[in-house]
Amino acid sequence: MHKMVVANYKMNGDRKFYSRVLKVVNKYNKKDTKIILCPPFVYIPFMKLKSANLGAQDISSTVNNKSTGQIGPSMLKEFGVKYTLVGHSERRAEGETDETVAMKVKTAVSHDLVPIICVGEEKKGDKIDIVSTQVEKALSLVDKGEIIFAYEPVWAIGSGIQPTTKQINKAISTIKKVASKSGHEVKVLYGGSVNGNNFSEIVKTDADGYLLGGVSNRLDEFASILKEMQ
Ligand code: PEP
């Protein structure tokens, strides 16, 4: 099975940085790892990748052309994008609701883009039901199509703190179970403070891959993760 690595660059980098990213990825990507790079929209046209895939960090919830500031699915596809993050906690923190997430998932799937839907509880100790509800709602407008989830507990993002292997595995099996009730067989990634030091522990979880934030910007450490995946 191909394990996935998704790099979310958020609002980081410049053209020089992304040309270094391309060198690292083209050097270390081997056929058993599926790498998906999600740079800011404006750098997408410069990402000439031999062996990795391109993802967007977000997508418009509609294909209505009266959407100032939004980027639609056909625009992304024109530049080779195959995946898009949806519902990242940083977007949810700015007011994105489960309903908007569901519309974005529908927009992506209906245009053959694969959504990587981010779900996760706000605080350490919050009930897993919160995640189940996010999953159910995210899938409420689609009945088929490839879908990936990323379990990203909000309290683990950028904090250096992580759930235990047991907690991660419980969340992954819950997400798969809830998705299968609505007829979807999904892959589930783990994301939240993954780095070069803790990666050897994270690989022991049941995750189908990893969503990397901060470490994607530290290219030596990022390269060491790619090497460890071989
Ligand atoms: C993220 O923002 O999706 C993320 C996983 O960030 P970090 O790896 O920095 O916690």
Side-chain angles (χ1 to χ4, degrees):
M1 188 191 67
H2 288 280
K3 279 232 174 184
M4 258 177 254
V5 174
V6 181
N8 174 16
Y9 291 97
K10 311 191 186 196
M11 203 173 77
N12 289 297
D14 51 21
R15 281 195 66 180
K16 211 164 148 198
F17 170 76
Y18 288 107
S19 59
R20 287 170 54 221
V21 170
L22 293 184
K23 282 196 191 121
V24 168
V25 168
N26 288 332
K27 180 167 176 195
Y28 292 108
N29 194 16
K30 300 285 170 338
K31 63 179 184 333
D32 287 343
T33 309
K34 181 174 252 180
I35 301 178
I36 302 166
L37 302 180
C38 305
F41 288 126
V42 291
Y43 294 115
I44 285 174
F46 304 110
M47 303 298 278
K48 304 282 179 247
L49 291 157
K50 280 191 223 133
S51 52
N53 297 275
L54 265 176
Q57 294 181 15
D58 197 10
I59 188 169
S60 172
S61 60
T62 68
V63 287
N64 179 346
N65 59 6
K66 292 182 186 138
S67 293
T68 303
Q70 299 299 303
I71 307 282
S74 53
M75 297 167 185
L76 296 173
K77 287 177 75 175
E78 195 176 354
F79 288 94
V81 170
K82 296 205 173 94
Y83 298 84
T84 180
L85 299 180
V86 176
H88 190 278
S89 61
E90 288 159 10
R91 302 249 45 86
R92 292 184 192 256
E94 291 198 13
E96 186 159 300
T97 61
D98 284 330
E99 287 67 31
T100 310
V101 169
M103 284 168 71
K104 289 184 175 187
V105 170
K106 186 179 173 196
T107 301
V109 170
S110 61
H111 290 83
D112 286 326
L113 287 166
V114 179
I116 301 169
I117 309 167
C118 304
V119 293
E121 74 281 6
E122 224 26 73
K123 291 188 241 77
K124 202 171 177 175
D126 277 351
K127 293 232 159 45
I128 194 74
D129 303 6
I130 295 171
V131 175
S132 304
T133 305
Q134 287 175 333
V135 173
E136 250 170 55
K137 290 195 173 168
L139 297 176
S140 60
L141 302 178
V142 287
D143 53 16
K144 56 178 168 32
E146 186 180 349
I147 288 178
I148 299 169
F149 277 92
Y151 171 56
E152 297 211 298
V154 181
W155 53 272
I157 295 180
S159 64
I161 312 166
Q162 280 180 326
T164 61
T165 300
K166 201 171 154 198
Q167 286 166 329
I168 293 175
N169 288 347
K170 186 178 169 204
I172 290 170
S173 71
T174 303
I175 293 167
K176 290 194 174 182
K177 211 185 300 160
V178 174
S180 87
K181 275 194 199 145
S182 46
H184 296 273
E185 194 186 320
V186 299
K187 291 210 161 78
V188 184
L189 317 178
Y190 170 76
S193 293
V194 177
N195 61 40
N197 291 328
N198 59 29
F199 191 66
S200 53
E201 279 306 305
I202 294 294
V203 282
K204 293 181 193 155
T205 67
D206 297 336
D208 297 308
Y210 317 97
L211 177 42
L212 311 178
V215 74
S216 317
N217 299 290
R218 304 190 293 272
L219 290 184
D220 289 347
E221 214 176 323
F222 182 59
S224 77
I225 288 179
L226 296 184
K227 272 196 257 177
E228 208 170 325
M229 290 201 57
Q230 306 310 320

